[in-house]
Amino acid sequence: MSAAQALDYPTRPIRLIVPYVAGGPLDVLGRLLANGMSGDLNGTVVVENIAGAGGRVGSAAVAKAEPDGYTIGLGVVASLAIGPQLVHTAPYDPIKSFTHIGLVTSGTLTVTVNKSVPAQTLGEFVALAKARPDEISYGSVGVGSLPHMAAELFQRATGTKLRHVPYRGGAASMVDLLAGRIDATFEMPNVTAVYHREGSLRVLATMDKVRSPALPDVPTTAEAGFKGLEMDFWAGVIAPANMSPEIARRLATSIQHVIDQPGFGDSLTAQGLRVHFLPSSEFVQLIRDETARWGEVIAGAGIKLSE
């Protein structure tokens, strides 16, 4: 696309692929971006949910699209830094297959236990898990999912061994945690905060560098005495490789305008996320750093998925 054509962009609807089902935090983020960018670009941005394989199906759809500026998507830690390392042959390269427009947001997960678990602090929970290896159970939405990876990071950093109970969905995991059929989970603050406040679950720590606005009374893992336990749940906007630099800059500028609008950050807080913008080069470096970090965790735990 020439610079002259870029001046007229967009002339037709842009699809923004969200690599997860409708209704979740990333879907909400995608719709907030689409709505704001539609106004900012004087065009139409439409969300398309293409879920599957921990975000890899949707990211593959972005990678295979024409680099004309009319297909963009959300690229997240699961699909860019973790997922490609879990399979023998990934359908895309996290760096080479995309134009990286910019990081938009980040969040974290919580270390949460059933109220019957005899641990009031993260330190007490670690001591309990060390005393009872393979007995303390935790739920996740499957092998390679973010809660599973958070648990593997937790075990690696604390020298503990938990028992993994995979579920087909997060709702089922939460039901069993509330009922005491499993002991713990590693979930987003927007999911666990309400149960923490009512006393049916106990959030011991947030896996972040700063406290969560949703859980201001809960310490971070570092504050609780455990460094290296951060779990950054980030998401940015990606497009197919070889996109016109003019279009990429136009999209990045539009995203910055949208996330700077009053109220945008508040909408993300309700989803357990916060605004965290990084330009293209820093976004690429984040992916490289996170790929290396999670590669060590994956290799150490011996995790591999079938194709």
Side-chain angles (χ1 to χ4, degrees):
M1 182 178 289
S2 68
Q5 289 174 308
L7 291 174
D8 296 328
Y9 172 83
T11 59
R12 65 179 192 271
I14 301 167
R15 65 171 182 158
L16 193 164
I17 294 175
V18 173
Y20 294 95
V21 296
L26 291 175
D27 179 61
V28 173
L29 170 63
R31 293 177 191 280
L32 288 169
L33 285 173
N35 183 61
M37 292 174 71
S38 293
D40 188 74
L41 293 169
N42 294 315
T44 302
V45 182
V46 180
V47 169
E48 181 178 346
N49 297 90
I50 302 180
R56 295 193 299 278
V57 176
S59 292
V62 175
K64 293 174 184 176
E66 290 295 321
D68 54 10
Y70 292 97
T71 298
I72 60 177
L74 292 184
V76 302
V77 59
S79 63
L80 296 182
I82 296 174
Q85 302 189 80
L86 294 174
V87 295
H88 292 290
T89 305
Y92 53 83
D93 183 285
I95 303 298
K96 297 177 181 178
S97 299
F98 302 105
T99 298
H100 304 82
I101 307 301
L103 187 75
V104 176
T105 185
S106 64
T108 193
L109 301 183
T110 63
V111 183
T112 303
V113 298
N114 178 271
K115 63 181 180 181
S116 65
V117 173
Q120 299 296 318
T121 67
L122 185 60
E124 290 178 1
F125 181 61
V126 170
L128 181 68
K130 285 183 175 180
R132 296 166 53 187
D134 279 323
E135 291 185 28
I136 303 297
S137 60
Y138 75 93
S140 85
V141 291
V143 175
S145 65
L146 287 180
H148 177 215
M149 298 308 300
E152 292 294 349
L153 176 66
F154 177 87
Q155 293 170 93
R156 180 183 175 88
T158 61
T160 56
K161 192 166 184 181
L162 307 177
R163 180 165 57 86
H164 185 199
V165 182
Y167 290 81
R168 298 189 66 177
S173 173
M174 290 303 297
V175 166
D176 275 7
L177 180 62
L178 287 163
R181 288 186 283 270
I182 57 174
D183 300 307
T185 192
F186 297 79
E187 258 295 354
M188 294 184 67
N190 64 308
V191 175
T192 57
V194 62
Y195 301 113
H196 175 76
R197 286 193 292 268
E198 69 184 25
S200 51
L201 295 178
R202 188 180 306 120
V203 179
L204 301 178
T206 57
M207 302 176 76
D208 205 348
K209 298 178 181 67
V210 296
R211 292 199 179 197
S212 169
L215 292 160
D217 62 317
V218 175
T220 66
T221 48
E223 287 177 326
F226 296 88
K227 295 184 178 180
L229 251 179
E230 288 83 15
M231 176 74 186
D232 202 359
F233 176 52
W234 47 260
V237 176
I238 56 176
N242 302 314
M243 173 182 278
S244 155
E246 290 83 4
I247 295 298
R249 283 193 292 269
R250 186 84 179 272
L251 289 167
T253 299
S254 178
I255 290 167
Q256 285 188 284
H257 289 166
V258 171
I259 66 178
D260 287 342
Q261 291 298 310
F264 187 87
D266 293 337
S267 298
L268 289 188
T269 297
Q271 300 302 316
L273 302 170
R274 64 175 181 275
V275 172
H276 182 190
F277 183 80
L278 291 178
S280 179
S281 60
E282 294 181 42
F283 185 18
V284 170
Q285 188 57 51
L286 173 68
I287 295 169
R288 294 186 191 279
D289 292 344
E290 288 281 87
T291 296
R293 180 187 186 221
W294 288 110
E296 292 182 2
V297 175
I298 291 166
I303 306 169
K304 210 68 179 176
L305 297 177
S306 59
E307 299 296 326

